[in-house]
Every structure is written in structure tokens, then in C-alpha cells.
Amino acid sequence: LTRLEVPAPAAQPISRPRLRAGVVGLGRQAVEDHLPALSLSHNAYLAAVCDTDPSKAAIAESYNVPFYDSVDLMLLEQELDFAVVTAPHAAHLAIVESAINARVHVLKEKPFAISLDDARRIARLALAADVRVMTTLQRRFNPIYNAFEQLLPMIGRPYFIDAAYTTVVDEPHAGWRGRRVTAGGGCLLDMGYHLVDLLIWYFGLPDAVSAVTSASATETIGEVEDTASVQLMYRDGPHGMIVVSRRFPPKRERFIVLGTDGVLQVERGRLRRFNNSGAVTEELYRRFGWPSAFVSQVEYFCAVIRGERPNIGSPNHQLAHVATIESCYESAVTGRFVAPASKLEVDDCVQTCTPWWRTDPGRQSK
Ligand SMILES: NC(=O)c1ccc[n+]([C@@H]2O[C@H](COP(=O)([O-])OP(=O)(O)OC[C@H]3O[C@@H](n4cnc5c(N)ncnc54)[C@H](O)[C@@H]3O)[C@@H](O)[C@H]2O)c1
């Protein structure tokens, strides 16, 4: 027998230096998700934190890292590899610009931007500086939502989408989320961004959207919407509805697609496929999974920075999301359907999938 010559694997360091991360904005999202995720990461560690509110210095103490009330000073002193941006929406642009100017990569909370102009600006700056910017959308790191994509072909040709993300907040118009100047928009831009991401992930850019919004869930009328309903349609494909509300108890999330051969439904932690008689044909649970989705997200971003993974939340991907939301807001004012594609310019480098029923029109159903 001739021994097969197996080439020796390229020398790989057993462990690589972990990347230095700084978190900007120490509110609920940072405390509940991003700081714990960094503590559990094998590829990154928390080096410093920043918040404009000095009372948040206690958080720095509990993690034993330096606290800054200025992002520019933190970037100057800390030699960070990346910044995690979890501040109010309207503050994102200036923070991201500072990081890009300092050649520091950015893992930023949704929304990618509060307007297409801001989105284009970040995309341009990041490209010019060769800096990775990734928007955090944790459903992409939850196997339930990945399985949804894998199972979509099982239900044949999709014809209807029913999506909702609702919660209940005592005072939906209080705090920075209640003001246009700090939030950039209401529940549609905030929670709705997650549903728009699922829509674009599974089906690509919708061909037309029409939205109705209201800010009247409490006695005091709000400045930005607390409730929104969006009608959407794909040419030759499904049409459907998205409902988002900050005042619609109990807290719920669902994304349902009706197809010629059945129904696929994802709720928090559970995926089910039904046949056309309504019987469950497949079921998948994922309990207690959100914390690990945030860890996976950090690990993935480290791989993006190292050039080992594609940036699935890049500015080019997010232009489609911002165009869709901006179209909804325009429609809420004009009362007309708006085509998100009409918001995009020829110079925009947009990455989004083409719905399979357009690339493979012969595949009607099983
Ligand atoms: N992915 C998700 O599921 C999810 C959930 C909740 C919030 N978020 C996002 O996280 C971000 C923050 O939301 P939150 O609920 O944590 O808000 P929050 O109000 O709890 O916290 C915001 C923090 O940012 C600080 N801050 C304000 N301006 C700043 C600036 N210029 N520089 C540094 N810090 C500043 C505030 O002092 C506050 O501590 C938003 O983008 C929001 O959409 C995402």
C-alpha cells in the first residue's frame, strides 16, 4: 500500500489575541445583552465603556474597566479594535463617524440609520476608511430564524405574510424614544426594524409598501408613532401585513408565511410548520437562546473584522432596510403605496436577495 501524503495543516496559532471592544451607551440593551456577551466571548473582551451620563460610571466599576463620558477621548486613549454602539438612534451617526475616523470597526445597534442620507454617509465613510460596520440583528444568530429560511421551500409558493411585533410600555411617549429629534421615528423604526430585516432576509426588498401610523395610544398624543400597520407586496409574490405597537399587550412576536403547500410560523423560541388542514407537521423549540445569540453575534463580528466571514449586516445590506422604512413613513404622509426601490439611487451599492419565485418561476410548489 502506498501511504497517502496528507499535507500538514498550515500552522495556526492555538489562541489569537482577543480584540479590544469599547461599548458606547450603557443603557438597557448594553447592560442586558452586549456587556454580558462580551464577557462570554472567546474572541473579544471589554476594554472600556462610555456614556454621556456620568451616573453610568458604576457600570464601568462593576466590569473593572475605564469609564469615559466622551467617545472621542475613549477612542483616542484606548486603541480599540471595535466599538459597540448602543445609544439613542439620533446619536448613532456622530458616534459611528468618530469611530470610523479613528479606524475603529463598529458593531452597532439597529436601526442602521434614521434616514437614507445618514445611511449613505456611513456607507461612504466606512468604505473609504476600510472599516467594518455591522448592524446588530440578533435573529440572524438564532437557529429558529435560520431554520425558518431553510423550511420556506417546504410550503410551496408563498402568497401571504402576517407579521407582528407588539409590546406594552406604560408611557410609550416618554424618554428619548418619544421624541423625533432623539429617536428619528417611532415603533416602526425601532421594533419594526427587526420585522423588516426578516422580510428582506427571506424575500428581498418589497416592491411596494403602504403604512398607517398613530401616536394616540395614551391620553397624551405622542410626537412619534406608538402603533403602525404596514401593507406590503411583492410583484408575482406574497402580499401581507406588518403590525408594530408599543402599546399592544401582551408582548408578542410572530412571522407567518402562508404558502400553497402549508404555513410556516415563527414566534419567540418556537417554529412550526402546518399543513393546509392546520395540523402541525414540524415543530422546533429554542429556549433560553437569546443570550447566546448575542455572543454568537460578537464572535461573528470578530470573524468579519479578521476577514474570515462576510459582513451580513454591512451598510450595503442595510440600505434596503432604511429604504423600506423611509418608504413606510412617506406613505403614512401621502396615503399612497411607495416602492422602496424608488428611494435608492444608481450609486447605492445595495445587497439584497432576489426572491426565488423570480429566479426560478417554474418552481411553483412541490
Ligand atoms: N436589538 C434589540 O433587540 C434591541 C433592544 C433594545 C434596544 N435596542 C437598541 O439599542 C440602542 C439603545 O437602546 P436602549 O434601550 O439601551 O436605550 P437606553 O435609553 O436604555 O440607553 C441609552 C444609553 O445611551 C446613553 N447615551 C445617550 N447619548 C449618548 C452619546 N452620545 N454617547 C454615549 N452614550 C449616550 C444614555 O445615557 C443611556 O445610558 C438603540 O439603538 C435601540 O434601538 C436594540
Side-chain angles (χ1 to χ4, degrees):
L1 280 176
T2 317
R3 263 186 75 195
L4 282 175
E5 289 295 323
V6 180
Q12 293 273 347
I14 291 171
S15 65
R16 295 184 287 183
R18 291 191 297 157
L19 303 180
R20 286 171 65 77
V23 173
V24 188
L26 300 174
R28 194 167 160 190
Q29 185 61 1
V31 168
E32 287 186 1
D33 291 319
H34 294 293
L35 293 170
L38 282 166
S39 301
L40 292 168
S41 169
H42 294 283
N43 289 287
Y45 67 96
L46 183 69
V49 292
C50 166
D51 199 296
T52 43
D53 175 357
S55 75
K56 299 291 169 99
I59 295 172
E61 254 174 61
S62 67
Y63 279 89
N64 200 21
V65 293
F67 174 84
Y68 293 86
D69 61 9
S70 148
V71 68
D72 290 315
L73 190 59
M74 179 174 84
L75 290 164
L76 187 71
E77 290 187 355
Q78 285 295 325
E79 295 192 6
L80 299 175
D81 293 299
F82 69 97
V84 180
V85 180
T86 67
H89 301 161
H92 287 201
L93 178 65
I95 298 168
V96 172
E97 276 199 45
S98 290
I100 293 175
N101 288 338
R103 299 284 194 281
V104 167
H105 302 291
V106 178
L107 179 62
K108 73 176 296 301
E109 261 303 341
K110 53 82 191 162
F112 170 56
I114 60 177
S115 70
L116 266 172
D117 285 346
D118 286 6
R120 289 189 183 106
R121 183 171 173 78
I122 298 174
R124 228 179 12 249
L125 291 173
L127 183 69
D130 194 23
V131 159
R132 305 299 152 258
V133 175
M134 184 169 118
T135 299
T136 72
L137 289 158
Q138 65 271 27
R139 282 154 191 74
R140 301 260 181 167
F141 297 91
N142 185 330
I144 289 280
Y145 295 88
N146 281 282
F148 191 93
E149 187 193 21
Q150 285 162 4
L151 291 178
L152 261 176
M154 299 293 292
I155 60 163
R157 190 180 179 82
Y159 60 87
F160 191 74
I161 298 164
D162 169 16
Y165 189 5
T166 61
T167 190
V168 62
V169 178
D170 285 344
E171 295 180 72
H173 306 300
W176 66 263
R177 281 188 167 84
R179 277 170 288 133
R180 188 169 302 283
V181 68
T182 42
C187 61
L188 201 47
L189 180 66
D190 190 0
M191 305 151 64
Y193 205 88
H194 289 296
L195 294 181
V196 166
D197 181 53
L198 295 182
L199 202 63
I200 288 172
W201 179 9
Y202 300 143
F203 299 111
L205 194 67
D207 286 299
V209 292
S210 152
V212 178
T213 62
S214 59
S216 50
T218 54
E219 285 302 319
T220 328
I221 303 293
E223 206 177 296
V224 295
E225 80 279 0
D226 51 54
T227 304
S229 57
V230 177
Q231 214 182 338
L232 60 100
M233 71 90 151
Y234 288 88
R235 187 168 35 85
D236 307 326
H239 64 102
M241 288 291 297
I242 287 181
V243 173
V244 189
S245 178
R246 304 187 71 211
R247 189 78 171 201
F248 187 160
K251 181 169 181 165
R252 261 187 314 196
E253 183 186 331
R254 66 164 191 266
F255 195 92
I256 304 172
V257 180
L258 310 190
T260 47
D261 289 341
V263 175
L264 204 54
Q265 169 171 335
V266 70
E267 298 152 307
R268 291 214 138 200
R270 182 168 68 166
L271 168 63
R272 282 184 293 174
R273 180 160 69 91
F274 301 87
N275 63 19
N276 279 337
S277 312
V280 178
T281 50
E282 230 173 321
E283 194 166 17
L284 208 61
Y285 280 93
R286 211 239 180 164
R287 298 213 177 109
F288 321 120
W290 285 117
S292 81
F294 279 92
V295 181
S296 303
Q297 187 167 251
V298 169
E299 306 297 44
Y300 188 93
F301 188 56
C302 291
V304 169
I305 292 173
R306 290 176 165 138
E308 297 162 357
R309 288 279 184 279
N311 184 353
I312 57 169
S314 77
N316 293 346
H317 288 91
Q318 299 299 310
L319 281 174
H321 298 58
V322 182
T324 303
I325 303 248
E326 209 161 281
S327 301
C328 290
Y329 282 132
E330 182 181 316
S331 160
V333 173
T334 62
R336 300 218 167 102
F337 270 95
V338 178
S342 71
K343 301 254 146 217
L344 297 167
E345 295 171 356
V346 275
D347 289 342
D348 288 336
C349 182
V350 183
Q351 257 174 292
T352 177
C353 72
T354 305
W356 59 257
W357 61 85
R358 263 177 226 158
T359 53
D360 185 8
R363 199 181 81 177
Q364 296 281 318
S365 64
K366 280 192 296 182

